[in-house]
Amino acid sequence: MELPFSESYKIKMIEPLKRSTREQREAWMKEAKYNLFKLKSDKVFIDLLTDSGTGAMSDRQWAAIMTGDESYAGARSFHELKDTVKRIMGFDYFLPTHQGRAAENVLFSVMVKEGDIVPGNSHFDTTKGHIEFRKATAVDCTIDEAFDTTLNHPFKGNLDLEKLEKVYKGYPKEKISCCIVTVTCNSSGGQPVSIQNMKDVYALSKKYGIPVMYDSARFAENAYFIKLREEAYKDWTIKEIVAEMYKYADYATMSSKKDGLVNMGGFIGFKDEETYRKACTFNIMFEGFVTYGGMAGRDMAALAVGLDEATEFDYLETRIKQVEYLGEKLREYGVPIQYPIGGHAIFVDANKILPNVPKEQFRAQTLGVELYLEGGIRGVEIGAILADRDPVTRENRYPKLELLRLAIPRRVYTNNHMDYIAAALKNVYDRRDQIKAGLEITWEAPIMRHFTVELKKA
Ligand SMILES: *Cc1c(COP(=O)(O)O)cnc(C)c1O
């Protein structure tokens, strides 16, 4: 008999989970104003809010924690991390930051000015936040195929070169800060970008004199998809693919909380010294001295190991096969999700499940609340609440997709947990026709409202 697939690691430490009753969850959800971010984590049985900073570290990483160097300047752990980033991504200049959005804040302080245009593939919410906060405009140039959740396209994160060129032709070069390539593309479903597309975007951008920046949170998962789906690279190692990817980037921002396999951290990579030097000043102002930037020495040491582990095929295969396992269960149950299944999460199509709920009542958020009530599972809305209001007209923006994201933490849950999640979602799906009313906002913040929004039943 052929041997089945099994995980490429074993468990050395466990953390108990708390169960609850539906009645308890009803009360807790109401108390949390129907915002899943406001729930206490011990009220959650399986937490799929995010894969950010929620992963489990390896024994090698914990060992590195013990040998971290906490020197203010020139720490050994800083140099280990800097050298690892150079070896894996090829950046000569490097700044640590406390997380990904801090990297954006520092880099954009140099690169983005009021009135600028920043094209990219479905900018991540904090990325867009940092752009709009500077009174600049993010322009989504993702390929149209990305918005059809049933279409099986291998690289739905790709940028549409025509859309991008239209932006480049429409504005003077000085007005375009950079082109952002998000790998994998979080907002359009954890979908990868091909090396071919990276090459094309880079060539087009060079033609117009525009720098290219990779928003790199899930760069290793992107590389795994390239190995599987892009013929020319099928025999390359993940590390070779990653090195190739970064040939076509001038800058990178990184949220180490994802493919860095650590709970906190970030960094910026630069190819040119001038931008690096300018960014140093902002790093010192916002983050800390240039050799720690908001990170403890031990955390930089664990991140250096994490970057190495995240770019190993066996780890990535275990990781992505678990996400696929959940997706395949849901496919079996007929629950509409986005295809192909992304690298870090399952995206459930709330427009298809709850068409009876008016879109003004936030279908994906409503589905998220229902799934929590059903099984104590916490997902997150990627829909109209996240899309926020137009900064000029202040009207609600209704994106083409209303998705409930179930993000799978790295190396944390087992496939029994995946079975439980699939069954709970099937139960919600089976009673979808009874769900006719959604939620209304009672309070919201002026920017990035999804974290703190308060809602009530419509
Ligand atoms: C998480 C993420 C960020 C922001 O990183 P934080 O570490 O959460 O601040 C930026 N871009 C993408 C694509 C991300 O997934």
Side-chain angles (χ1 to χ4, degrees):
M1 154 181 206
E2 199 185 324
L3 298 181
F5 180 77
S6 73
E7 292 79 357
S8 61
Y9 48 77
K10 58 182 176 174
I11 295 166
K12 194 175 282 198
M13 191 187 288
I14 62 102
E15 179 183 339
L17 294 173
K18 281 205 182 102
R19 293 180 196 278
S20 57
T21 64
R22 183 172 176 114
E23 224 172 23
Q24 286 174 313
R25 293 193 290 272
E26 300 259 4
W28 294 335
M29 195 68 269
K30 195 169 172 203
E31 229 172 86
K33 315 270 193 214
Y34 300 93
N35 180 346
L36 295 152
F37 282 99
K38 285 181 185 274
L39 278 173
K40 290 187 181 146
S41 65
D42 62 357
K43 310 283 188 266
V44 175
F45 182 54
I46 297 180
D47 204 347
L48 309 180
L49 183 77
T50 176
D51 63 319
S52 178
T54 53
M57 292 208 295
S58 69
D59 51 356
R60 278 179 61 217
Q61 286 180 287
W62 282 109
I65 289 266
M66 299 307 293
T67 58
D69 176 1
E70 305 303 335
S71 303
Y72 190 97
R76 187 187 65 250
S77 302
F78 166 79
H79 285 287
E80 282 166 10
L81 178 55
K82 182 177 187 292
D83 294 348
T84 304
V85 169
K86 164 75 184 164
R87 177 165 48 82
I88 291 180
M89 295 175 162
F91 289 108
D92 285 325
Y93 302 95
F94 164 84
L95 282 173
T97 63
H98 79 276
Q99 61 183 95
R101 69 199 65 187
E104 291 162 0
N105 189 30
V106 169
L107 186 63
F108 291 176
S109 293
V110 180
M111 297 184 54
V112 181
K113 331 173 281 303
E114 184 170 341
D116 274 5
I117 303 293
V118 190
N121 53 347
S122 298
H123 308 63
F124 182 68
D125 55 346
T126 62
T127 316
K128 197 175 198 168
H130 274 297
I131 292 168
E132 292 180 349
F133 181 75
R134 289 174 171 79
K135 300 197 164 52
T137 309
V139 180
D140 189 352
C141 296
T142 314
I143 55 170
D144 288 333
E145 288 90 331
F147 302 101
D148 179 350
T149 60
T150 56
L151 199 79
N152 229 325
H153 184 291
F155 292 104
K156 280 185 168 177
N158 280 359
L159 282 88
D160 183 319
L161 297 167
E162 278 174 32
K163 289 185 193 173
L164 186 61
E165 187 153 28
K166 213 172 132 206
V167 174
Y168 287 171
K169 281 188 170 149
Y171 299 90
K173 177 179 139 184
E174 305 71 48
K175 283 256 164 231
I176 304 171
S177 326
C178 62
C179 173
I180 298 183
V181 181
T182 312
V183 291
T184 56
C185 190
N186 193 348
S187 309
S188 73
Q191 300 293 331
V193 179
S194 69
I195 289 206
Q196 189 58 52
N197 193 246
M198 294 177 192
K199 283 185 183 172
D200 293 343
V201 165
Y202 189 72
L204 187 67
S205 303
K206 289 298 122 173
K207 185 175 149 197
Y208 287 88
I210 310 294
V212 175
M213 185 209 110
Y214 287 1
D215 183 352
S216 304
R218 299 178 185 80
F219 74 98
E221 291 170 7
N222 199 105
Y224 175 86
F225 285 122
I226 288 169
K227 184 173 171 69
L228 260 64
R229 298 180 188 169
E230 199 167 355
E231 181 62 25
Y233 303 97
K234 70 178 196 315
D235 296 325
W236 291 37
T237 66
I238 297 293
K239 284 189 169 67
E240 286 165 347
I241 293 171
V242 169
E244 180 68 15
M245 283 166 59
Y246 282 91
K247 278 190 190 163
Y248 311 106
D250 299 296
Y251 308 102
T253 55
M254 176 69 184
S255 169
S256 306
K257 304 171 71 171
K258 285 82 166 217
D259 278 353
L261 294 177
V262 292
N263 302 111
M264 190 52 70
F267 61 81
I268 314 171
F270 308 81
K271 292 222 176 120
D272 76 291
E273 187 174 4
E274 192 190 336
T275 311
Y276 161 75
R277 281 189 183 275
K278 287 182 187 159
C280 283
T281 307
F282 293 105
N283 216 65
I284 292 167
M285 278 203 301
F286 300 145
E287 294 296 296
F289 185 59
V290 295
T291 63
Y292 74 87
M295 291 186 75
R298 54 181 166 274
D299 289 344
M300 290 191 283
L303 173 55
V305 177
L307 288 170
D308 247 328
E309 291 182 352
T311 47
E312 285 300 320
F313 180 80
D314 283 355
Y315 152 73
L316 283 166
E317 186 184 37
T318 298
R319 153 89 179 139
I320 291 177
K321 276 193 188 289
Q322 181 170 58
V323 179
E324 246 171 46
Y325 177 85
L326 174 58
E328 289 305 326
K329 277 262 135 144
L330 292 170
R331 191 203 296 265
E332 205 179 289
Y333 294 155
V335 178
I337 61 171
Q338 179 166 45
Y339 295 104
I341 294 160
H344 67 289
I346 299 295
F347 293 75
V348 188
D349 192 334
N351 279 336
K352 292 217 176 94
I353 301 179
L354 299 177
N356 298 329
V357 174
K359 76 172 193 304
E360 293 77 11
Q361 293 178 10
F362 308 113
R363 289 170 182 157
Q365 182 72 14
T366 304
L367 185 62
V369 167
E370 289 293 335
L371 182 62
Y372 173 72
L373 297 178
E374 180 69 30
I377 299 158
R378 170 157 73 171
V380 73
E381 189 241 30
I382 309 271
I385 296 179
L386 178 69
D388 218 320
R389 291 176 188 275
D390 185 284
V392 179
T393 66
R394 301 305 297 157
E395 289 297 316
N396 273 314
R397 290 188 279 213
Y398 295 101
K400 288 177 213 163
L401 301 180
E402 276 284 333
L403 301 171
L404 175 66
R405 186 185 75 174
L406 307 176
I408 312 300
R410 295 169 179 77
R411 307 191 285 206
V412 170
Y413 292 114
T414 69
N415 283 3
N416 280 333
H417 293 114
M418 300 301 123
D419 289 339
Y420 177 96
I421 297 158
L425 195 52
K426 178 185 190 302
N427 289 347
V428 174
Y429 184 63
D430 288 346
R431 60 177 166 76
R432 63 192 179 280
D433 292 339
Q434 291 145 252
I435 307 168
K436 293 197 173 77
L439 301 158
E440 283 169 8
I441 293 180
T442 57
W443 181 86
E444 64 185 277
I447 194 166
M448 287 191 251
R449 64 180 179 183
H450 57 290
F451 290 119
T452 52
V453 68
E454 295 180 2
L455 302 133
K456 67 176 169 68
K457 283 193 167 167

